[in-house]
């Protein structure tokens, strides 16, 4: 692959822009400055450095973020900031999309990718990839509420009751809920159907991959092949 094409594929701008950056001496290949945009590079293990910042070549981009409250999962947010504003320009340029959406006031594990097949697998209810949420409620979490969530609650526009895969009380007003689907406002609607109300909502886990404890709100991180395997782990093996 030509160097300028490698740069373009990683989101570093137009063909013309990438050629110009190489000619200007702003690009290093595996640590060595290279000013010929036509140089052949091997994508396997390729490390590109642009203006002193190193980027490993990635065929597809897979990223996780600790979504903060007050950000919308949209390129054109209506009332808040966009989660995309927290990602670096090359990721936006290569067209990463949210893998499912979280509400603006929901925090926690959010994925992005430019791999359409991966996005489809992750959000397809048929794949049975569980998502675990922690919700604090306005009213105490009762046994009756937990039973209702386990057995299934009726939601508007849903033909059949929807049940949580698992549901546990963490403290008087907090519960942990495991869902197989990702329907619109699903956690809030399920909890509202029991007569309670969600005050805060946080996604902890997708598949068997948890939000890293050391990643602050607003932070993002690349996902490696082992992470992707954990993410795609179907329930119930994801439980262990
Ligand atoms: N369920 C909700 O109600 N909101 C979210 O953001 C995610 C799941």
């Amino acid at each position: 692959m030509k160097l300028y094409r490698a740069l373009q594929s990683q989101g570093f701008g137009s063909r013309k822009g990438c050629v110009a950056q190489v000619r200007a001496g702003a690009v290093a290949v595996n640590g060595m400055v290279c000013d010929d945009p036509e140089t052949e590079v091997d994508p396997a293990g390729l490390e590109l450095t642009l203006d002193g910042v190193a980027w490993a070549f990635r065929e597809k981009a897979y990223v996780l973020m600790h979504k903060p409250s007050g950000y919308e999962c949209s390129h054109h947010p209506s009332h808040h900031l966009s989660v995309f504003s927290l990602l670096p320009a090359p990721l936006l340029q290569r067209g990463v999309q949210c893998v499912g959406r979280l509400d603006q006031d929901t925090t926690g594990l959010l994925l992005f990718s430019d791999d359409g097949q991966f996005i489809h697998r992750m959000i397809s209810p048929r794949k049975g990839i569980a998502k675990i949420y922690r919700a604090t409620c306005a009213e105490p979490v009762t046994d009756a509420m937990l039973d209702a969530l386990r057995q299934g609650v009726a939601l508007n526009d849903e033909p059949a009751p929807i049940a949580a895969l698992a549901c546990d009380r963490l403290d008087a007003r907090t519960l942990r809920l495991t869902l197989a689907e990702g329907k619109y406002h699903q956690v809030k609607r399920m909890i509202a159907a029991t007569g309670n109300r969600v005050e805060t909502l946080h996604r902890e886990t997708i598949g068997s991959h948890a939000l890293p404890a050391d990643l602050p709100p607003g932070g993002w991180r690349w996902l490696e092949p082992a992470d992707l395997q954990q993410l795609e782990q179907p329930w119930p093996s994801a439980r262990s």
Side-chain angles (χ1 to χ4, degrees):
M1 183 187 277
K2 306 261 188 227
L3 175 54
Y4 75 86
R5 280 220 178 282
L7 288 165
Q8 218 184 332
S9 73
Q10 301 301 289
F12 290 108
S14 63
R15 178 185 184 282
K16 209 170 144 191
C18 290
V19 166
Q21 290 189 82
V22 177
R23 291 221 172 103
V27 176
V29 177
N30 299 330
M32 302 274 288
V33 172
C34 176
D35 62 6
D36 178 2
E38 301 280 334
T39 303
E40 287 291 336
V41 293
D42 179 359
L46 174 63
E47 189 173 277
L48 298 164
T49 307
L50 253 94
D51 293 326
V53 180
W55 292 81
F57 181 94
R58 292 171 195 263
E59 179 91 35
K60 294 284 179 194
Y62 307 94
V63 161
L64 73 70
M65 178 185 284
H66 184 165
K67 180 192 173 293
S69 182
Y71 284 77
E72 290 182 29
C73 291
S74 164
H75 284 286
H76 306 290
S78 39
H79 299 296
H80 300 88
L81 298 165
S82 165
V83 287
F84 293 101
S85 68
L86 298 167
L87 293 175
L91 279 175
L92 304 182
Q93 174 89 31
R94 63 187 287 178
V96 298
Q97 301 298 328
C98 291
V99 181
R101 289 179 172 214
L102 293 176
D103 299 336
Q104 67 80 16
D105 54 352
T106 301
T107 59
L109 180 53
L110 178 64
L111 307 178
F112 297 83
S113 181
D114 58 359
D115 178 348
Q117 289 180 357
F118 170 76
I119 296 176
H120 179 74
R121 285 199 304 278
M122 292 305 296
I123 62 179
S124 165
R126 269 183 292 156
K127 294 285 173 189
I129 297 174
K131 285 99 187 166
I132 302 183
Y133 295 89
R134 192 178 67 235
T136 53
C137 300
E139 306 296 334
V141 175
T142 62
D143 289 343
M145 182 183 167
L146 294 176
D147 285 347
L149 291 168
R150 287 182 193 125
Q151 276 161 32
V153 291
L155 300 182
N156 281 347
D157 302 331
E158 293 302 330
I162 305 224
L165 293 172
C167 184
D168 300 290
R169 180 170 30 223
L170 299 181
D171 66 35
R173 290 196 304 120
T174 310
L175 57 80
R176 181 174 283 137
L177 196 67
T178 307
L179 299 182
E181 320 84 348
K183 297 182 186 301
Y184 182 66
H185 291 332
Q186 188 171 342
V187 176
K188 291 175 184 167
R189 288 160 69 214
M190 286 178 75
I191 289 177
T194 69
N196 208 327
R197 181 167 56 80
V198 169
E199 285 197 329
T200 70
L201 185 59
H202 179 80
R203 182 155 67 189
E204 297 182 330
T205 305
I206 299 177
S208 64
H209 194 78
L211 180 69
D214 60 349
L215 187 65
W220 68 275
R221 190 170 284 183
W222 292 103
L223 289 161
E224 305 302 339
D227 302 320
L228 299 180
Q229 265 186 9
Q230 287 187 336
L231 283 163
E232 295 207 42
Q233 197 125 117
W235 181 267
S237 50
R239 204 194 292 241
S240 51

